[in-house]
C-alpha cells in the first residue's frame, strides 16, 4: 500500500500526458471526421478519390508507423513539429479517418426520402443537414463512436515512440527501477477507471438522446 | 445539381493541386536524400549551445542505474550526475529529453537532441552514424542465470533459451561473435525484450534460462531481486564494452570540450566520486 502511494505521483504526471493526447484528439478529430465524411459524398470525383486515398492510408498503416513518420519523417524533410504537437497531429488525422467512416454510416442510414421531403417543405440544404439529418445521425452513431473513444484511451500509450512520457511509460519506469510488476497493475486499474468514466458518459448521452427516438 | 462545366473546372483544379503537392513532396524528399544519409544537421552547433547555455541530451528514462526516474519523477542516475557535472563546469544547463531507445540516432541526427548520454556503448555500427567521445566507463556483457540450473560457463547454455534487450550492445556482440555464445543457445536465436525487468521476470518464470546483460545492469537487477543469492552471474568471453557519449559528427567543438572535461574529472577524482555513488554495492 505504501509503495502504491509512493509511485502514484509519477503515474499521475504520466496520466496528464495521456489525458492531454486524449482530449486534444477528440476535439480535433470529430470536426475533421465530419468534414471528411461529407467530402466522401462530394459531387467532384477528384475530391472523393483524394479522401478515399487518405482514409486508405490512415486505416491501412499502423498508428505507430504514422507517429514515427509525422515526427521523424517530416522532421527530415524540414517540417519540424514539437513532440506533443506531432503526436496530436498524427492522432487527429488517424482518428478522423475512422470517425469519418462511422459518420458516413450514420449519414447513409437516413433515408433519401427525408432529403426529398425537406426539399418539398422548403428547407435549404444547410437547414436540412443541421435540423433534420444531423440529430438523427448523432443518435445512430453513439455506440460505434464510443468504441473509437475507448480505443483512443488505450492508443494514447503509443506516444512512447516519440519520447513522450504517458502513464504506461511512467509504469514502465517504475517497474524497471523497482523490479516489480505492481506498477503495471496500478496502470491497468487507472486505464479501467478512465474507460469506466467514458462508458458511463456515453451511456448517459445515449439515454438522453433516446427520449425522442 | 452542379453544372457539367463547374464539375470539370473544380475537378481540374483539385487534380492539379494534388499533382502539385505530390511533385513538391518528391522534390523535398529528393533534396533530403542528397544530403548525406538522413543527416539534416551538418553544422557545428557549439555556438548555439554556448549562447543558449542549454544542451538537450537524450536518454531512455528506464535505464537503471545510468539514467532513470526516482519515485518523484526526477531524472537521476550515474550518467545524469556525470553529464550535469561536466556541463556545469562550462556554465551550460542540461535539458534531459526522454526518447525511445530504438530511435536514438534518428533523434540525434534530426537535431531533436544534441547528445546521447545514457550507458551508450561504442560499437562499429553506431560509429557510422554518430561521433563518440572518449570512453568514460567500461563494462562487459555477462550471463545471468538461476543458481538452481547450474549454468556456470557459456557452454552450459547448450540448447537453452537466451534473452537480451533488443538493439542493445549485448545483442550486437551476440550476433557478431557467434562462437562465444550464439552457437550454444537453442536454435541460435535470442529472445529480445524491450526492457531488462521484463527479461528478469521471464527468467524467474523459467521461460528463458539465461539473460545476456551489461554487468552494471546485472548487478543492479540482481541486487533488487527478492533473493539475490538465487542467481549466478557468469563472465564469459565477450570483450569489454566502452561506454561513451554520442554526438553528431559535425559537432567537433562540443565533443572536444566534453572530452577535455572528462579527462579533468578522471584526474582530480570527481569521476570516481560519482562512480562510487552509483556502482558500489
Amino acid at each position: 500500500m505504501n509503495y502504491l502511494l509512493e509511485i502514484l505521483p509519477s503515474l499521475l504526471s504520466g496520466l496528464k500526458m495521456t489525458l492531454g493526447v486524449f482530449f486534444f484528439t477528440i476535439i480535433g478529430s470529430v470536426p475533421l471526421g465530419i468534414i471528411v465524411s461529407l467530402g466522401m459524398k462530394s459531387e467532384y470525383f477528384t475530391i472523393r478519390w483524394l479522401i478515399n486515398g487518405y482514409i486508405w492510408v490512415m486505416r491501412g498503416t499502423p498508428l505507430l508507423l504514422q507517429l514515427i513518420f509525422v515526427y521523424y519523417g517530416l522532421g527530415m524533410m524540414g517540417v519540424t513539429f514539437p513532440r506533443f504537437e506531432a503526436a496530436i497531429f498524427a492522432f487527429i488525422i488517424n482518428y478522423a479517418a475512422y470517425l469519418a467512416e462511422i459518420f458516413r454510416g450514420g449519414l447513409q442510414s437516413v433515408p433519401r426520402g427525408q432529403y426529398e421531403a425537406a426539399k418539398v417543405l422548403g428547407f435549404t440544404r444547410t437547414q436540412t443537414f443541421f435540423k433534420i439529418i444531423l440529430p438523427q445521425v448523432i443518435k445512430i452513431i453513439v455506440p460505434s463512436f464510443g468504441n473509437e473513444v475507448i480505443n483512443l484511451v488505450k492508443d494514447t500509450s503509443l506516444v512512447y515512440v516519440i519520447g513522450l512520457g504517458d502513464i504506461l511509460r511512467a509504469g514502465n519506469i517504475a517497474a524497471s527501477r523497482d523490479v516489480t510488476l505492481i506498477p503495471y497493475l496500478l496502470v491497468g486499474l487507472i486505464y479501467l477507471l478512465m474507460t469506466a468514466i467514458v462508458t458511463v458518459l456515453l451511456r448517459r448521452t445515449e439515454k438522453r438522446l433516446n427520449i425522442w427516438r | 445539381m452542379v453544372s457539367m462545366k463547374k464539375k470539370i473546372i473544380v475537378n481540374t483544379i483539385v487534380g492539379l493541386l494534388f499533382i502539385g503537392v505530390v511533385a513538391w513532396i518528391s522534390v523535398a524528399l529528393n533534396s533530403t536524400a542528397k544530403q548525406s544519409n538522413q543527416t539534416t544537421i551538418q553544422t557545428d552547433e557549439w555556438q548555439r549551445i554556448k549562447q543558449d547555455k542549454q544542451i538537450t541530451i537524450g536518454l531512455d528514462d528506464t535505464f537503471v542505474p545510468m539514467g532513470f526516474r526516482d519515485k518523484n519523477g526526477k531524472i537521476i542516475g550515474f550518467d545524469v550526475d556525470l553529464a550535469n557535472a561536466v556541463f556545469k563546469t562550462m556554465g551550460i544547463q542540461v535539458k534531459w529529453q526522454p526518447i525511445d531507445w530504438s530511435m536514438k540516432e534518428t533523434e540525434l541526427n534530426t537535431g531533436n537532441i544534441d547528445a546521447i548520454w545514457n550507458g551508450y556503448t561504442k560499437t562499429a555500427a553506431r560509429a557510422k552514424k554518430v561521433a563518440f567521445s572518449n570512453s568514460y566507463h567500461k563494462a562487459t556483457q555477462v550471463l545471468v542465470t538461476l543458481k538452481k540450473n547450474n549454468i556456470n560457463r557459456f557452454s552450459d547454455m547448450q540448447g537453452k533459451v537466451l534473452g537480451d534487450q533488443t538493439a542493445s550492445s549485448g545483442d550486437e556482440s551476440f550476433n557478431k561473435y557467434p562462437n562465444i555464445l550464439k552457437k550454444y543457445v537453442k536454435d541460435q536465436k535470442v529472445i529480445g525484450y524491450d526492457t531488462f525487468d521484463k527479461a528478469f521476470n521471464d527468467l524467474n518464470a523459467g521461460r528463458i534460462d539465461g539473460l545476456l546483460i551489461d554487468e552494471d545492469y546485472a548487478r543492479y537487477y540482481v541486487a533488487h531481486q527478492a533473493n539475490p543469492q538465487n542467481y549466478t552471474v557468469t563472465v564469459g568471453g565477450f570483450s569489454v564494452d566502452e561506454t561513451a557519449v554520442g554526438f553528431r559528427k559535425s559537432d567537433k567543438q562540443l565533443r572536444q570540450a566534453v572530452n577535455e572535461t572528462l579527462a579533468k574529472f578522471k584526474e582530480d577524482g570527481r569521476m570516481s566520486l560519482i562512480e562510487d555513488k552509483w556502482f558500489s554495492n
Side-chain angles (χ1 to χ4, degrees):
Chain A
M1 200 58 218
N2 262 340
Y3 177 69
L4 293 185
L5 290 177
E6 269 173 21
I7 59 169
L8 204 58
S10 63
L11 292 187
L12 289 182
S13 77
L15 183 65
K16 258 188 238 156
M17 172 63 64
T18 299
L19 290 177
V21 174
F22 176 78
F23 282 116
F24 277 110
T25 307
I26 292 279
I27 292 168
S29 61
V30 171
L32 186 61
I34 293 176
I35 293 169
V36 170
S37 69
L38 292 176
M40 267 189 284
K41 292 177 40 153
S42 165
E43 306 203 27
Y44 308 107
F45 77 94
T46 41
I47 294 180
R48 286 200 307 271
W49 281 12
L50 279 182
I51 286 179
N52 282 328
Y54 154 76
I55 291 179
W56 177 53
V57 171
M58 287 303 139
R59 298 200 306 175
T61 54
L63 179 51
L64 190 66
L65 205 64
Q66 291 165 17
L67 272 168
I68 293 174
F69 184 78
V70 167
Y71 188 62
Y72 301 106
L74 291 186
M76 278 173 195
M77 284 166 58
V79 189
T80 45
F81 281 116
R83 274 165 218 275
F84 186 69
E85 282 79 348
I88 298 297
F89 179 74
F91 269 86
I92 286 179
I93 57 172
N94 179 280
Y95 269 80
Y98 283 95
L99 292 180
E101 284 288 326
I102 290 176
F103 296 148
R104 184 173 67 96
L107 285 172
Q108 277 174 354
S109 62
V110 178
R112 274 246 76 86
Q114 291 200 14
Y115 289 89
E116 285 156 12
K119 203 174 177 186
V120 169
L121 291 171
F123 282 87
T124 65
R125 281 178 63 166
T126 333
Q127 277 177 330
T128 314
F129 180 72
F130 283 105
K131 297 236 147 92
I132 299 171
I133 309 299
L134 197 62
Q136 300 182 71
V137 169
I138 290 174
K139 271 203 302 191
I140 295 163
I141 62 168
V142 165
S144 29
F145 177 73
N147 247 347
E148 281 310 311
V149 174
I150 285 174
N151 263 338
L152 176 60
V153 170
K154 294 169 291 175
D155 272 356
T156 52
S157 63
L158 292 174
V159 296
Y160 79 88
V161 79
I162 55 177
L164 289 174
D166 74 317
I167 184 165
L168 188 55
R169 192 186 178 99
N172 244 328
I173 293 165
S176 55
R177 178 190 58 226
D178 305 327
V179 197
T180 154
L181 286 179
I182 292 170
Y184 292 129
L185 203 70
L186 197 54
V187 168
L189 283 176
I190 294 175
Y191 272 114
L192 275 177
L193 195 68
M194 284 192 278
T195 45
I197 293 171
V198 170
T199 311
V200 167
L201 285 179
L202 285 165
R203 280 278 153 75
R204 282 218 181 140
T205 326
E206 218 172 311
K207 235 185 192 167
R208 190 174 273 185
L209 291 173
N210 273 347
I211 289 174
W212 38 284
R213 163 156 272 172
Chain B
M1 282 298 110
V2 187
S3 72
M4 197 63 202
K5 203 174 158 195
K6 200 177 165 196
K7 256 190 184 175
I8 294 175
I9 293 172
V10 173
N11 277 337
T12 321
I13 291 173
V14 175
L16 285 176
L17 274 178
F18 178 67
I19 293 170
V21 170
V22 170
W24 175 70
I25 290 175
S26 55
V27 167
L29 274 177
N30 245 330
S31 63
T32 43
K34 268 179 205 149
Q35 292 167 15
S36 72
N37 286 336
Q38 67 159 232
T39 310
T40 49
I41 291 195
Q42 312 241 333
T43 49
D44 198 317
E45 298 284 299
W46 181 231
Q47 285 311 321
R48 170 184 60 84
I49 292 167
K50 260 196 342 196
Q51 231 165 40
D52 297 352
K53 292 191 166 45
Q54 189 180 14
I55 185 170
T56 309
I57 299 182
L59 88 162
D60 174 356
D61 51 5
T62 64
F63 238 9
V64 286
M66 307 309 256
F68 59 107
R69 287 175 192 270
D70 66 10
K71 282 179 180 140
N72 301 317
K74 201 173 155 246
I75 290 179
I76 55 167
F78 169 70
D79 278 337
V80 176
D81 278 0
L82 184 60
N84 281 339
V86 163
F87 284 108
K88 200 176 171 191
T89 62
M90 306 176 201
I92 296 170
Q93 259 215 329
V94 179
K95 184 181 164 224
W96 292 98
Q97 174 60 55
I99 55 168
D100 186 50
W101 194 238
S102 57
M103 285 288 168
K104 52 196 176 302
E105 287 88 6
T106 310
E107 294 266 13
L108 184 67
N109 285 328
T110 49
N112 296 319
I113 58 174
D114 299 311
I116 304 168
W117 195 329
N118 191 201
Y120 193 48
T121 304
K122 278 184 170 179
T123 69
R126 286 171 176 173
K128 283 182 194 144
K129 294 186 220 152
V130 305
F132 285 108
S133 72
N134 296 334
S135 81
Y136 60 88
H137 181 71
K138 287 186 176 65
T140 188
Q141 299 291 326
V142 298
L143 180 71
V144 178
T145 51
L146 293 177
K147 192 157 265 167
K148 61 175 188 206
N149 289 346
N150 250 333
I151 297 169
N152 300 311
R153 282 179 305 268
F154 279 10
S155 55
D156 290 341
M157 280 298 285
Q158 187 73 46
K160 299 260 168 75
V161 184
L162 180 77
D164 73 358
Q165 187 188 29
T166 313
S168 65
S169 52
D171 194 51
E172 205 176 312
S173 313
F174 173 79
N175 286 307
K176 201 171 160 198
Y177 307 106
N179 274 331
I180 298 178
L181 182 60
K182 194 177 181 180
K183 65 173 178 186
Y184 300 120
V185 301
K186 194 171 180 227
D187 302 328
Q188 277 75 58
K189 273 200 187 117
V190 64
I191 297 174
Y193 295 87
D194 62 340
T195 55
F196 280 122
D197 62 307
K198 300 193 182 81
F200 253 96
N201 279 322
D202 255 9
L203 182 68
N204 291 333
R207 280 184 292 223
I208 57 174
D209 305 298
L211 175 60
L212 186 64
I213 179 172
D214 185 283
E215 64 173 329
D216 293 324
Y217 310 132
R219 264 192 249 127
Y220 181 90
Y221 281 111
V222 169
H224 280 76
Q225 293 289 335
N227 297 304
Q229 69 277 8
N230 287 355
Y231 298 87
T232 312
V233 176
T234 311
V235 181
F238 283 116
S239 58
V240 171
D241 288 332
E242 299 192 350
T243 312
V245 190
F247 300 106
R248 277 182 292 269
K249 293 198 171 179
S250 52
D251 281 340
K252 296 198 176 80
Q253 294 182 65
L254 170 63
R255 193 165 83 227
Q256 200 189 346
V258 169
N259 274 339
E260 280 166 12
T261 315
L262 283 174
K264 219 183 289 162
F265 273 31
K266 253 179 214 165
E267 236 168 70
D268 64 15
R270 270 182 279 187
M271 178 73 92
S272 45
L273 259 171
I274 301 174
E275 276 172 357
D276 288 347
K277 181 177 167 194
W278 292 100
F279 296 128
S280 64
N281 291 326

